[in-house]
Amino acid sequence: MTAAWQLTLAERHCRVEWRKSQLTWQFSHPHAPNGETRLSPIGAITVNGQPVQWTRLLGAQETLGPHAAPRLAVTLEDSAGHLRLVCHFELFAGQAFARTWGTVEYIGNKENDPPLLDGAAILHLAVDAGASMTLFHVEQFSWPYHKDFFSQRQLPLIPNLTPYELRMGSFPAHYVMPTSCAWVALRAGAPDPSDVTPGRGPGLVVGIEFNGKSRLRAWATPELVALESRIDDLAHLLRPGEPFELPACFVGAYQGDWDEAGFVTQRFAEAYVHPPMPDERYPWVQYNSWKYGQEIDEAQQLAVLERCAELGIEVAILDLGWARTIGDWRPNPVKFPRGLRPIADRAHELGMKFGVHVAIAQMALDAPAAQAHPDWLVYTGNDYFGAGAICLGHQPCREWLIDALVRLVGEEHLDYIIQDGEDVVKHCTRTDHTHAPGDSNYANSTAGLDRVILAVRQAHPHLVWENCEDGGCMMTYRMARLAHTSITVDNIATYATRQGIYGASYPFSPRYSVRYMEDDPTPYTLRSAIFGGPLILMQRIGDWSDAQMADTKAAIAQYKQLRTLIRDAKIIHLLPPRHNVEHFGRGWDAIQAVSQDQARSVVMVHRALGGAPQRAVRPRGLRADAAYRVRYADTGLDYIENAATLQNNGLTVTLDELSSEVVELALHEA
């Protein structure tokens, strides 16, 4: 028996076939290489080391999603009738994307030992080889791997060479190998000739919605180019009534360069993946108490709030040190004898939101929960500021954390939580936990971390959630479905911060590029932090001089003027910051945002150490037949020029070392 289904929405098609005990799928769009992908396997799992054959079709249901977009759910069983697979597929109005996910459930005899699911594919995808193909990806943050963060890699897929392998998901700070954001773009043609002459062609983008560790392999044969994503370290017992969630992924088509690949991904994710913007002003200017260390208290932070209000800051956060200890999520009674509500209430009176930092999967050994439940800890050494590690895949521990955070938000009037810690998807091999030994990758991500965030946000729908995870070490689309924003690089220097913004703004919307500003405020350091998502000042604001306050006020005003333009824009990557040496970096870098109607644009240009004092920076993405008014923020230069000249000859910028310029372009109506 065979069966086939076709989802169609304008030029987008998703074909699903069941034939010879194999479910396959295919995505078609005019912008895809060759117009379509090949029929590729889906729902591929192994149980007890053997591939499962789906021999019985139980049914298929076609429904309509938002804006009459088609959806399909196909239900299959194995020959013994013990395993059931439901695969979901959907298309999206106004977006050249398809998304798929699934569940696997054991429906056999409850008296038998549950089968062990030990392999699961998130994605198989293949396209006819035709011309040459290039794979593009962006690395995540890493403390030990190297000093150039969120580096971009263009990988030519050459037939019969060893496959590339990209590790994705949550990785710890001590992990010494490169890891990747959970996104890749595929494009017909060779890698870009240079930074200023990007290649173009038909292509596909892929996003993986899994916070646990996975790996994506990419290879070519003379006939095809293939991508495969699989879950790492899977050993999940399929207990009756507890469906296993096959992580979602999405595939989209585009025509153009890597900036276009990023732009179509971001527009899709804003419409169908990310939480809604918290308000129309978002992203916000924020203060974080980190530079005060753990020596914070009520009087000190109340005084800081007044200076925050003077600067125009919109959110105030207490970082590590506000709680009794890590894992005891109640205010320290010595530092905050009245709890956090006096600070929260004063922040609200001043028009600010208020939140705290939570090391979500860590617990100090002297915390009451650790004393009562020592079995919750999977590691009792110094995992994070002296605290050990807890297993969120263990149900009692997870439920305790949910209750603790729901209570904390309500009692202390919180609006915001920073989720931090060392590798929040823990490695746990304990035999006395509710997950199977060896299954901590899935248990601590999908069944652990994800459920904690969902439960707390469901209990407090107003709550804004920031992913921090010890730097940008978990840049996945599951994270981006659960969190409103994310760190890119951790609390480090100005040049590295620009590297994070530059790289992360390929796969992720600009709001997913939190800047933790560590360096003292100067016009250069401040300007380096105003492109992208939330601008978070991590200094001792109460100690600032009048000059520092004035410089910061000016930068915040400029940030607020530009933030919604940048948030909703197409990001154009002009000159990458690739030389993070001696703390300050080397040479020039530039990034641009262009409004979707091409009426406005802003170009941020920076010069670190070295390089020539003058550089022509060529903007892109302007209306070909239009003229623009060009304004330099610092030099005051103001003139009108046609788009072709601007794009061909560039904007001439003269800078000293460690300085910057902002150039705004506005459509000029003759």
Side-chain angles (χ1 to χ4, degrees), residues 86 100 104 122 131-132 181 213 247 249 286 293 314 334 361 364 378 388 399 411 461 502 509 513 525 572 618:
V86 182
T100 181
V104 179
I122 300 172
S132 61
C181 296
K213 296 163 183 64
C249 64
Q286 302 181 195
E314 295 157 315
V334 176
V378 299
E399 291 177 350
E411 288 182 357
Y502 196 93
S509 293
S513 59
T525 61
I572 309 290
R618 293 163 55 187

Side-chain angles (χ1 to χ4, degrees), residues 147-148 195 495 499 576-588 608-609:
K147 295 187 179 301
D148 289 313
D195 293 327
Y495 190 83
Q499 288 187 318
R578 289 206 184 104
H579 309 290
N580 185 25
V581 292
E582 298 177 7
H583 184 83
F584 295 106
R586 286 287 187 273
W588 291 69
L609 296 179

